[in-house]
Amino acid sequence: MSKKLFALVLSLSMVMTMLLAGCSAQNDNASTPPEGSDAPTTESTAPTGGDAEGRVYWLNFKPESDQVLNDVAKMYTEKTGVPVKIVTAASGTYSQTLNAEMSKSEAPTIFNVGNAAGVRDWTDYALDLNGTPIANELNTDAYNLYDETGKLVSIGYCYECFGIIVNPDLLEQAGLNCGTENCWAINSKVSEADQQATMEFMVWCVTDPEASRMLVDTFGVMPYKNAAESTNSFLAAANEYSNNGCYVMNWAFNYQPNVDELRAGMVSALNAYNADQSDANWENVCTAFVDGWAAQYAAVN
């Protein structure tokens, strides 16, 4: 592969990850939630009705989906009486917002754990989703994140795919490069009533025809057996491959150490190379990718 083509592939992969997965890495340095945060958020609570037990509080990772999530929350409350609260962290502030919200008396019941660092830092706060009703709705386990004990910490609720040229015959044989950092976790520290209410809400989101249609239209695709079909032909094909049990290549971004710093270094090197495509600048790209990974791994381990 030529230098220019490789640089294009690398650039595309990072852009797709940063933009489509919420423009932010998260959970890299979170362990004990601190008190307070000034991270801007959008907050809305669906109207409460009936005498339903339990509550749902979704700390949303995707700012672009805020309005749709609030519409879905309102719909669910009107149907069931269960209060559903949506708080959307501003782009690039999810870690700070999560730390602050988890320290509150009414903490999120659904939150995002999207990479290995998040699994390490938040596994004690995550309900084991193995064998749960929501996990049983998945059409693939390719987007699930486990801790070292085999606990299912979080499950993907949408995902992205990327490529330059798509050959359907080749894809069917070799698999798709799909993955996500958009993964649901249920807070194990909230009451059993809140956990149950949250589980039921999540299952409804991926099985109700109207709700799943709304969510698929904002997320692109959802890897659940009974969710609405994607209107994006490429993502619909990806979902079909998943349903058929086809191989999906690993999404390395979930395992990048210290992702913010690592990506910043790679983007800086790529920008320099794009401005001046010299051999020296290409070597800097290679160094940022290979040595940068090693350096950031050492920094967090």
Side-chain angles (χ1 to χ4, degrees):
M1 182 182 293
S2 70
K3 294 177 181 178
K4 290 183 179 179
L5 182 56
F6 182 80
L8 176 59
V9 172
L10 191 58
S11 298
L12 282 173
S13 67
M14 287 191 294
V15 168
M16 288 288 288
T17 302
M18 289 186 285
L19 292 181
L20 293 177
C23 305
S24 169
Q26 40 82 46
N27 301 326
D28 295 325
N29 53 11
S31 53
T32 304
E35 293 290 341
S37 172
D38 58 2
T41 60
T42 299
E43 178 175 343
S44 177
T45 306
T48 304
D51 299 317
E53 293 185 2
R55 66 185 175 91
V56 180
Y57 170 6
W58 183 348
L59 182 58
N60 174 34
F61 182 54
K62 294 176 73 66
E64 66 273 22
S65 298
D66 175 74
Q67 185 58 57
V68 172
L69 297 192
N70 277 285
D71 292 343
V72 168
K74 181 179 180 181
M75 183 192 311
Y76 188 73
T77 297
E78 290 174 348
K79 286 177 179 288
T80 67
V82 175
V84 181
K85 175 181 179 179
I86 304 294
V87 172
T88 297
S91 181
T93 70
Y94 195 83
S95 287
Q96 303 96 303
T97 306
L98 179 59
N99 279 315
E101 293 299 301
M102 280 299 214
S103 67
K104 296 181 178 179
S105 59
E106 292 197 346
T109 65
I110 307 174
F111 63 104
N112 198 82
V113 174
N115 55 38
V119 169
R120 180 192 64 218
D121 292 334
W122 290 101
T123 186
D124 290 343
Y125 286 79
L127 185 71
D128 188 353
L129 297 177
N130 278 304
T132 59
I134 187 61
N136 291 339
E137 288 294 328
L138 288 164
N139 63 19
T140 177
D141 65 356
Y143 314 115
N144 294 343
L145 295 177
Y146 298 84
D147 71 8
E148 59 187 9
T149 70
K151 173 182 176 179
L152 179 51
V153 173
S154 62
I155 55 177
Y157 59 86
C158 65
Y159 60 91
E160 292 82 44
C161 303
F162 66 86
I164 297 176
I165 298 174
V166 178
N167 181 322
D169 294 331
L170 178 61
L171 283 175
E172 191 166 2
Q173 296 171 20
L176 294 165
N177 194 186
C178 303
T180 188
E181 290 178 89
N182 300 282
C183 301
W184 276 328
I186 294 179
N187 190 347
S188 62
K189 305 297 185 183
V190 299
S191 70
E192 290 186 11
D194 289 352
Q195 292 177 25
Q196 181 63 27
T198 298
M199 184 73 67
E200 291 173 359
F201 170 71
M202 292 165 71
V203 171
W204 176 82
C205 282
V206 302
T207 58
D208 181 83
E210 186 178 1
S212 69
R213 174 80 275 153
M214 294 166 67
L215 292 172
V216 166
D217 285 347
T218 185
F219 294 150
V221 66
M222 298 183 80
Y224 293 88
K225 293 177 288 189
N226 295 301
E229 185 174 333
S230 178
T231 55
N232 180 300
S233 59
F234 184 73
L235 290 173
N239 219 31
E240 182 180 352
Y241 293 138
S242 295
N243 272 317
N244 292 337
C246 294
Y247 172 72
V248 177
M249 290 184 286
N250 288 334
W251 191 255
F253 305 112
N254 294 128
Y255 305 99
Q256 289 178 331
N258 229 13
V259 289
D260 285 335
E261 289 77 6
L262 176 62
R263 289 175 181 171
M266 289 193 290
V267 168
S268 177
L270 278 169
N271 285 340
Y273 178 72
N274 288 333
D276 177 15
Q277 297 182 14
S278 65
D279 289 342
N281 281 341
W282 177 249
E283 287 303 316
N284 289 336
V285 172
C286 297
T287 299
F289 186 81
V290 178
D291 295 349
W293 187 296
Q296 297 305 330
Y297 180 86
V300 297
N301 291 281

